[in-house]
Amino acid sequence: MEPIIKLESITKDFGRVRANDSVDMELYPGEVVGLLGENGAGKTTLMNVLYGLVMPDEGQIKIKGENIDIGGHSPADSIRLGVSMVHQEFMLVNRLSVMENLIIGEEPTKHGLIDKGEAEGFVRRLSDKYELEVDPNDIVGDLSVSERQRLEILRALYHQAKVLILDEPTAVLAPSEVQSLFNIIRQLRDDGMCIVLIAHKLKEVLSICHRIYVLREGKIVGETTADETTQDKLAHLMVGEDYQRFSEEDRKKKVIKTNSPVLEVSEIWVSDTYGNWQVKGISLDVYPGEIVSIAGIAGNGQSQLEQALAGLLPIKKGQVFLDEKNVTNFSVLERKKGGLGYIPQDRHEYGLALSFSVKDNLILGRHRLSRFNRWGVMKYKKIEKAVNQEIKDFDIVCESMSVEARSLSGGNQQKVVLARAVADEPKVLLASQIGRGLDVSAIANIYRYLQKLCDEGKGILLVSFDLDEVFELSDRIYIMRGGEFVGELDNQNATRQKVGELMTGAE
Amino acid sequence: MIIMKFNLDSPLGKAIRTLLLQVISIIFGLLVGAIAIKLSGRSVVDAYTALYNGAFVGRTSLELTILNAIPLVFTGLSIALGFRAGLFNIGAEGQLILGGIAATWVGTTLNVGPVFTTALALMAAAAAGLIWAFPAAWLRAKKGAHEVITTLMLSYIALHLMNFVRKNWLYDPQSTTESSITVNENAKLVLINKVLPFFELGNTRVHTGVLIAIGVVVVMWFFLYKTIWGFEVRIVGDNTSAASASGVSVSRTIILSLCLGGVLAGLGGGVQLLGLYHRISVDSFVGLGFTGFFIALLAQNQPLGMIPAAIFFGALRAGALNMQFQANVPMSLTEFLQGILILFIAVPVLGKSLKMFKAIPDESE
């Protein structure tokens, strides 16, 4: 069979970084191809090259046997030739309706006016066929993440895509939503479409993809089929030989239940900025030496709960005790001094000042401690000594402490946030989405470190949308839905199915 | 070969690239200005020679450049401090005027001997700037009122207040130009040849405000890069969410940066009045605050960059004046030239299109 897409020795440099190094790739109709690799391996760049968003330095692109002029290649050409891409950041206009978003750029007209009937009919037809469940008249801003994703896929179908590239589509979805996305992908495949899935979750790739390419440092290091390979084999291809998985054995489940919890939350209520209750009377406790998770689908009040516990949102009712001290009305800084370490949900938005140095980021929030300043003047010698030690202790890979935090890999950025959070011996660590967007090896490192903290007798409260993470780490799991806890399970009697049902409310 | 080995991404490399980028933007601006001068039928060489002569050649020119630059250092710093915290402090103009009014008031009513009178008048100026900045700062931090609106309104009030003071409260009945009364001799800033006699500067109009300006630049550099408060200002300006998540009080930092900006602008007004004007007249202070924006822009909000940036603008002003006299270039054309230069500096598109200034690209993923 003729490949629908053929990439030949694609090379792309960003400054001194070679993002793609003479990559060859062939895509055929009617297959799902996994493009696997760690963050920074060059997956997205490669697909952006194909889509026409990034101009390669060298190489050739053939679509349906036709040579593409790489100098003048643009997304508009790609769409015309049947190649569509759904990015991680959706390219939608939130204030317009589903139907309006769909037809942007290719509006069906009748007598010079937009033919809404035609577009609406299209949405309904495809919605039925692929069980996409989107209403053409909904405003995009009101849609959930998974609905927006479906709209993006629908848009590709509207442009009669033959090749659909999905960039990490499952990162934002709940487990049940992942399954329905995969069902849609299978149907599209059966209809003869070629789907490229950029991913780094091995389990998912193995469950849906037929062929798999593995990229490392810009090069293709393996091409295999799902039948021939295993998770461990893929992981080794992705990260090289020195990778060690974080396994059940690493997670020693030894819980020291002392008499008093190190964090106790009783009946707290938190509202968002519009005054709607997002956390409705939640109580929880964390004992020293245990890892407690809050599982749930994104948007069920977890981030408000997290921010309220960190001191960023006011607690309207109820109380929080940190090491038996009432900290309900404490500021972020006072809580930190009281023994709370905090790793916020989004390291780019809440964790780091990206254009500041590693040094500045490691000291941020601790700069007011008396050992780091005298009368307001920073003691840079002391700071640099501490920072050097932390870079060593946490194995943060960076050229020097003066480079911008932006230049670090995701895993190393997270280590910076982690190092800062635990630097002052907290009693409780509150960590949200700690593994999100990280490589398998970086995740294993972070998990091992959490285990170490746990062994030292610290209490850890995790907020996570990722069930794998929850199951790998937790001693106890709270399940959150609609601003309330709908269940509490310990690791002995928690199953994925049970947690999944509680999360979605399906009985 | 040396250039090949030079690391463009090191801090020094970045500073040099920034500087070069500004220089290239200025050159582009001058080129476009040259076309305009040519089109108007005048000699480009004559015009630019006059510009250069008026700014740098001869004692009077140099002095004028420096005198023009002094207040701009203060307003540039004031605005840059706001920018550093992510705020648009349009109010430097008003805060500067209030500083000027306070300095006039103290300088005309108080006389406690040399140096002391000046010091008190300058303190009053700084305090007045602070008072004028505080309402906007407080409203921004606590109520979320946008600082552009509040500081702009306060600037208009300040302008009219100055006119009121000039025509009523500190009115000089002998003045034919509706100016205020003049501050007493002890309040005036000492001329620089008096404090630096060993340089044998001879007669000069340059006052010790130039030393104050340099001192303030150094203090602000120290504040921003060496103190915890400066650190917080910079962090809040870069990522407010990360700052508050790590325990920095954002509202306190906003108040601090706007109020300190007020102090700087107020002090600048005091220096300008006690050093140069000595009284408030019709066109006192006009535009000094707003020009501060371009100084901050040109200096990339770096305290140490304020001095060359202010000198550049001071020179441009002085040179433009000479261009009118010597090369017969009409005022409108010199203003056009200034505008073009500002535009090229504000939007360094052309300079950036050169390869070495290309921003380091986003991460590959």
Side-chain angles (χ1 to χ4, degrees), chain A residues 202 206 224-236:
Chain A
L202 307 171
L206 283 172
T224 176
T225 61
D227 306 332
E228 291 173 343
T229 190
T230 62
Q231 279 197 48
D232 275 343
K233 275 189 199 163
L234 287 176
H236 278 113

Side-chain angles (χ1 to χ4, degrees), chain A residues 14 16 40 42-45 312 332 348-350 352-356 360 364-365 367-368 376-378 380 404 406, chain B residues 7 9 14 222 225-229 231-232 234-235 238-239 241-242 244-248 252 361-365:
Chain A
F14 286 116
R16 274 166 292 169
K43 307 174 298 250
T44 305
T45 305
L312 288 166
V332 177
H348 287 170
E349 189 179 352
Y350 294 99
L352 298 165
L354 286 173
S355 51
F356 279 65
D360 286 345
L364 174 59
H367 56 280
R368 280 184 178 261
V377 179
M378 311 254 266
Y380 271 114
E404 284 184 9
R406 190 189 309 282
Chain B
N7 182 4
D9 296 333
K14 272 187 188 159
F222 187 83
Y225 294 104
K226 299 289 169 188
T227 71
I228 55 172
W229 307 291
F231 182 67
E232 290 181 356
R234 291 186 293 130
I235 291 279
D238 187 68
N239 186 342
S241 311
S244 62
S246 56
V248 174
R252 197 176 54 199
D362 304 332
E363 296 92 302
S364 55
E365 293 225 329

